[in-house]
Amino acid sequence: MARVCNFSAGPSMLPLEVLKKAQEEMLDYEGCGQSVTEMSHRSKEFDKIIKDAEKLFREIMNVPDNYKVLFLQGGASAQFSAIPLNFMNKNNKADYIVTGVWAKKAWQEAQKYGAARKVASSEDKIFSYIPKLTKDDFDPEADYVYMCMNNTIYGTKYPYIPDTGDVPLIADVSSCFLSEPLDVTKFAMVYGGAQKNIAPAGLVVAIIREDMLGNAMPITPVMMDYKVQADADSLYNTPPCYTMYMCKLVLEWIKSMGGLEGIKANNEKKAKILYDFLDNSKMFKNTVNPEDRSLMNVTFVTGNDELDAKCVKEAKENGLINLKGHRSIGGLRASIYNAMPVEGVEKLVSFLADFEKKNS
Amino acid sequence: MARVCNFSAGPSMLPLEVLKKAQEEMLDYEGCGQSVTEMSHRSKEFDKIIKDAEKLFREIMNVPDNYKVLFLQGGASAQFSAIPLNFMNKNNKADYIVTGVWAKKAWQEAQKYGAARKVASSEDKIFSYIPKLTKDDFDPEADYVYMCMNNTIYGTKYPYIPDTGDVPLIADVSSCFLSEPLDVTKFAMVYGGAQKNIAPAGLVVAIIREDMLGNAMPITPVMMDYKVQADADSLYNTPPCYTMYMCKLVLEWIKSMGGLEGIKANNEKKAKILYDFLDNSKMFKNTVNPEDRSLMNVTFVTGNDELDAKCVKEAKENGLINLKGHRSIGGLRASIYNAMPVEGVEKLVSFLADFEKKNS
């Protein structure tokens, strides 16, 4: 079958070039007579893969030398525990900004390990906006401030980086990782699951400032101790080697697209096409606070559940899949991550316009 | 380059049929227009993959209905923490049998969470044998007894399943998983990393008796709570989808090989070829207690470090790779997991015989 346009919130599309390269090398990686799926993580071939991946990551994200780049397992949800276990280590308290279900889960998990305070929440309006916070809103005694930069389910993104003063800022960037340049120096840690913009599922990339490391609670599971992972260069135990190889291929693709500036331009173009359509549509509405709109996840509704469902169904019949909104808010959602081509969004808009005409 | 014979301790060889199938389906899985690497874990296509994988696993391992089969992340090392966190829940103590570095690491990690007692150890003879234990050796008040069935580094395997009376028995079977039939009913939990016999690295499969679940310590990270994973059918968060798909392909291959009886016959044939050679060699010696020999990892030495190194080097030049023994014991090691063909072992023996002739 022809390749579909996959608007899944994650796992999601990978660049076709990357898939073709992976396919080509599946039985024999660079003439070494093995597949990367079979390769010892202590081999010189894999050592080059992981080092290249880290080097590309540092280059593309412009990661300063005093930050570690770690490749981890367990998804963002494992970090929800690891973050308080590693960093709630001075006053045993932290500030959480709750802008969606995932930030809320992180906040709830942190309560197992210390005083996790909800600084602000946008739950009053079904997480359709990002709270505006200033330095005075944060507890200067907090061990860190936690935020989720892009909220996949609701289609919001922080239009600013909160000023937390001297309190370390930690951000889950799972669904906007590598979608545009990010000033890493504003954060003590940024991390995200790979399954949106980086690689297939099963990998987390974390960028952590070195001075944060080394004071995990004694009850921290060894695999969740970031210092252990940093000291072992992400090879404390066998890592998800093949997923890291795919990550390397995606990073090479990003570089070939002009790095994060090139990627950003492409993402802005795609988002503009879709938001412009929605803003001019009489049937479909994006209900997010305009300045907090996500570049990656575009949510919209007709206001009629049956019509929403009909639209999702007919879109699928046209090769536009996974447009159903998250069950918690309903409606539709188009996730237009890095690998979604401009043509995919154009096809979607053309389909939606046609659907509107036929159903008005 | 021609396919090499990869004797790596893990990650290790996958069946060629599996790699070819994965290659063929890389751009389009069963005509759905997507790669499995891109597939939503909530899609009906992936739902079928995970359900098929579990069904095959249950069938092949003959898993009783009162056991859960879980697909997890973080490697065996994450389970070293999760096991005490979930199960040291009555008397806060457990018995550990230390038969190698990995069992030792599990024992040390458990000490973070309660009284982990070393029941027995074979460290006195560099882990070259399996201690013989009877019911009286175990503390009847222990919450569980922990063992590592096959010891990858040393090439040993339990020739018996310890009788622990009413105390639940938990086994790490990473390097002998699916290598021969196993009576699951003798255990409260068996688990292992996928990267030897099941799939590429990045996946753990755990089989847990249901009555064990539901009493994790309050400090247990949510991703390490086996009850949470069981209740969510291993989909609490995004799982390593592609690795699970590869797992399904490997399970199909095992079934086509005659299930675990067929696999066992093949493994015994391979091991016999290699051990018979070693037992008759004047240069190479296997130093493991004969009845505790592993079917999967065969260790041997010449008694001369330089000669060992020369042998590893020349073997590599002949397409026989990763024969270097673990740094902790030196010498050579051939890991002959399920996917290593008989011809691979024959090639190895032929090479070793030739090496012996030339260097005697």
Side-chain angles (χ1 to χ4, degrees):
Chain A
M1 171 177 178
R3 216 164 140 68
V4 294
C5 293
N6 182 2
F7 295 95
S8 168
S12 42
M13 287 185 87
L14 287 165
L16 188 57
E17 297 90 315
V18 165
L19 293 174
K20 284 185 173 166
K21 180 87 172 163
Q23 182 176 47
E24 188 189 309
E25 297 186 326
M26 180 55 92
L27 297 186
D28 186 5
Y29 176 73
E30 295 190 350
C32 75
Q34 314 162 64
S35 169
V36 178
T37 58
E38 307 173 294
M39 203 173 266
S40 168
H41 61 301
R42 306 286 179 198
S43 64
K44 76 172 192 330
E45 290 83 2
F46 186 72
D47 187 62
K48 182 160 161 44
I49 290 172
I50 187 171
K51 290 217 170 94
D52 283 353
E54 182 180 338
K55 198 173 151 230
L56 279 162
F57 206 90
R58 286 185 171 280
E59 182 187 335
I60 288 169
M61 286 276 294
N62 197 17
V63 178
D65 286 346
N66 63 326
Y67 284 73
K68 292 281 186 188
V69 173
L70 304 182
F71 298 100
L72 306 167
Q73 289 188 67
S77 297
Q79 317 319 314
F80 295 171
S81 320
I83 287 165
L85 283 164
N86 279 272
F87 305 130
M88 235 186 219
N89 51 17
K90 285 193 191 82
N91 301 315
N92 200 226
K93 56 183 184 175
D95 277 357
Y96 278 71
I97 313 173
V98 177
T99 51
V101 159
W102 297 107
K104 193 174 177 180
K105 280 185 193 249
W107 168 61
Q108 287 167 333
E109 183 70 5
Q111 292 171 40
K112 285 182 185 167
Y113 307 107
R117 182 176 75 115
K118 183 162 67 175
V119 187
S121 166
S122 50
E123 197 163 7
D124 58 331
K125 292 186 181 168
I126 323 174
F127 299 120
S128 60
Y129 71 101
I130 299 292
K132 271 160 203 52
L133 298 170
T134 64
K135 207 164 106 181
D136 295 341
D137 293 309
F138 301 107
D139 177 355
E141 305 264 282
D143 289 332
Y144 60 85
V145 171
Y146 183 96
M147 63 182 278
C148 179
M149 179 82 75
N150 185 86
N151 297 279
T152 326
I153 296 176
Y154 318 94
T156 64
K157 191 190 76 167
Y158 279 74
Y160 72 109
I161 296 175
D163 176 6
T164 59
D166 292 333
V167 182
L169 179 59
I170 296 177
D172 173 357
V173 297
S174 294
S175 51
C176 59
F177 226 162
L178 301 178
S179 64
E180 59 182 324
L182 182 70
D183 183 356
V184 173
T185 66
K186 295 277 196 291
F187 301 87
M189 171 176 177
V190 291
Y191 78 97
Q195 70 271 19
K196 285 101 162 48
N197 271 335
I198 302 182
L203 179 69
V204 161
V205 184
I207 306 168
I208 309 179
R209 211 175 56 217
E210 282 172 359
D211 66 280
M212 297 290 289
L213 299 169
N215 292 297
M217 296 183 192
I219 56 163
T220 307
V222 62
M223 285 292 291
M224 288 189 170
D225 187 330
Y226 293 136
K227 179 73 161 62
V228 169
Q229 299 287 354
D231 287 348
D233 293 324
S234 305
L235 287 167
Y236 174 75
N237 74 345
T238 316
C241 303
Y242 192 72
T243 316
M244 290 162 82
Y245 154 75
M246 293 284 283
C247 165
K248 188 197 79 134
L249 296 183
V250 171
L251 293 168
E252 285 167 352
W253 174 80
I254 289 176
K255 206 174 157 179
S256 78
M257 295 284 287
L260 293 187
E261 288 295 350
I263 288 284
K264 181 188 182 188
N266 207 43
N267 285 333
E268 284 179 339
K269 185 173 175 188
K270 291 185 289 178
K272 186 174 183 338
I273 293 170
L274 188 46
Y275 283 121
D276 280 355
F277 167 77
L278 295 172
D279 290 343
N280 288 303
S281 165
K282 291 199 165 50
M283 176 176 280
F284 298 103
K285 296 281 163 237
N286 168 263
T287 57
V288 160
N289 187 34
E291 68 176 3
D292 302 333
R293 283 174 167 179
S294 168
L295 260 186
M296 296 284 101
N297 313 98
V298 182
T299 52
F300 48 103
V301 292
T302 63
N304 173 334
D305 290 349
E306 274 176 39
L307 201 59
D308 287 347
K310 189 182 179 206
C311 184
V312 169
K313 185 173 169 285
E314 291 184 11
K316 189 177 172 185
E317 289 158 9
N318 284 275
L320 307 163
I321 73 165
N322 289 319
L323 281 164
K324 193 176 169 190
H326 190 270
R327 59 191 178 281
S328 62
I329 64 160
L332 294 94
R333 172 180 51 179
S335 294
I336 49 175
Y337 296 118
N338 289 352
M340 171 62 68
V342 173
E343 300 72 44
V345 180
E346 286 170 345
K347 262 191 211 169
L348 172 63
V349 163
S350 156
F351 165 80
L352 292 174
D354 195 46
F355 183 88
E356 181 168 351
K357 207 176 290 173
K358 285 185 187 151
N359 292 277
S360 293
Chain B
M1 169 175 178
R3 217 163 139 67
V4 294
C5 292
N6 181 2
F7 295 94
S8 168
S12 42
M13 286 185 88
L14 287 165
L16 188 57
E17 298 91 314
V18 165
L19 293 175
K20 283 184 173 166
K21 180 86 172 165
Q23 182 177 47
E24 187 189 309
E25 297 186 326
M26 180 55 92
L27 296 185
D28 186 5
Y29 176 73
E30 295 192 348
C32 75
Q34 313 161 63
S35 169
V36 179
T37 57
E38 307 174 295
M39 205 173 265
S40 167
H41 61 300
R42 306 286 179 197
S43 65
K44 77 172 190 331
E45 289 84 3
F46 186 72
D47 187 63
K48 184 160 161 41
I49 290 172
I50 187 171
K51 290 217 169 92
D52 284 353
E54 182 180 339
K55 199 172 151 229
L56 279 163
F57 207 90
R58 287 185 170 278
E59 184 187 335
I60 289 169
M61 285 276 293
N62 198 18
V63 178
D65 287 346
N66 63 325
Y67 284 73
K68 293 281 186 190
V69 173
L70 303 182
F71 298 100
L72 305 167
Q73 289 187 67
S77 297
Q79 316 319 313
F80 295 171
S81 322
I83 287 165
L85 283 164
N86 279 271
F87 304 131
M88 234 185 220
N89 51 18
K90 286 192 191 81
N91 300 314
N92 199 228
K93 56 184 183 175
D95 277 358
Y96 278 72
I97 313 172
V98 176
T99 52
V101 159
W102 297 107
K104 192 173 177 180
K105 281 185 192 249
W107 167 60
Q108 288 166 333
E109 183 70 6
Q111 292 170 40
K112 284 183 185 168
Y113 307 107
R117 182 175 75 114
K118 185 163 67 175
V119 187
S121 166
S122 50
E123 197 164 6
D124 57 334
K125 293 185 181 167
I126 323 174
F127 299 120
S128 60
Y129 71 101
I130 299 292
K132 272 159 203 54
L133 298 171
T134 64
K135 207 164 105 180
D136 294 340
D137 292 310
F138 301 106
D139 178 356
E141 305 264 282
D143 289 334
Y144 60 86
V145 171
Y146 183 97
M147 63 182 278
C148 179
M149 180 82 75
N150 185 87
N151 298 279
T152 326
I153 295 176
Y154 317 93
T156 64
K157 190 190 78 167
Y158 279 74
Y160 71 108
I161 297 175
D163 175 6
T164 59
D166 291 333
V167 182
L169 178 60
I170 296 177
D172 173 356
V173 298
S174 293
S175 50
C176 60
F177 226 162
L178 301 178
S179 63
E180 59 182 325
L182 182 71
D183 183 356
V184 173
T185 65
K186 294 278 195 294
F187 301 87
M189 170 175 177
V190 293
Y191 78 96
Q195 69 273 19
K196 285 102 163 45
N197 271 335
I198 303 182
L203 180 68
V204 162
V205 184
I207 307 169
I208 310 180
R209 211 175 57 217
E210 283 173 359
D211 66 280
M212 297 290 290
L213 299 169
N215 292 296
M217 296 182 192
I219 55 164
T220 308
V222 63
M223 286 294 290
M224 288 191 171
D225 187 330
Y226 293 135
K227 179 71 160 65
V228 169
Q229 298 288 353
D231 287 349
D233 294 324
S234 306
L235 287 167
Y236 174 75
N237 73 344
T238 316
C241 302
Y242 192 71
T243 315
M244 291 164 81
Y245 153 77
M246 293 285 282
C247 166
K248 188 195 80 129
L249 296 183
V250 171
L251 293 168
E252 286 167 350
W253 174 80
I254 290 176
K255 207 175 156 180
S256 78
M257 294 285 287
L260 294 188
E261 288 295 349
I263 289 285
K264 182 190 182 187
N266 207 44
N267 284 334
E268 285 180 339
K269 187 174 173 185
K270 290 184 289 178
K272 188 175 181 337
I273 294 170
L274 189 46
Y275 284 121
D276 280 355
F277 167 77
L278 295 172
D279 291 343
N280 289 304
S281 165
K282 289 198 168 49
M283 176 177 279
F284 300 103
K285 297 280 163 237
N286 168 263
T287 57
V288 161
N289 186 34
E291 67 175 2
D292 302 333
R293 283 174 167 179
S294 169
L295 260 186
M296 296 283 100
N297 313 98
V298 182
T299 51
F300 48 103
V301 292
T302 63
N304 173 333
D305 291 350
E306 273 175 40
L307 201 58
D308 288 347
K310 188 180 179 209
C311 184
V312 168
K313 185 173 169 281
E314 290 184 12
K316 190 178 172 187
E317 289 159 10
N318 284 274
L320 306 163
I321 72 166
N322 289 318
L323 282 164
K324 193 177 170 191
H326 190 270
R327 60 190 177 280
S328 62
I329 63 160
L332 294 95
R333 172 179 51 178
S335 294
I336 48 176
Y337 295 118
N338 289 351
M340 171 63 67
V342 174
E343 300 71 46
V345 179
E346 287 169 345
K347 261 191 213 168
L348 172 62
V349 163
S350 156
F351 165 80
L352 292 174
D354 195 46
F355 183 88
E356 182 168 350
K357 208 177 291 173
K358 284 185 188 151
N359 293 277
S360 294

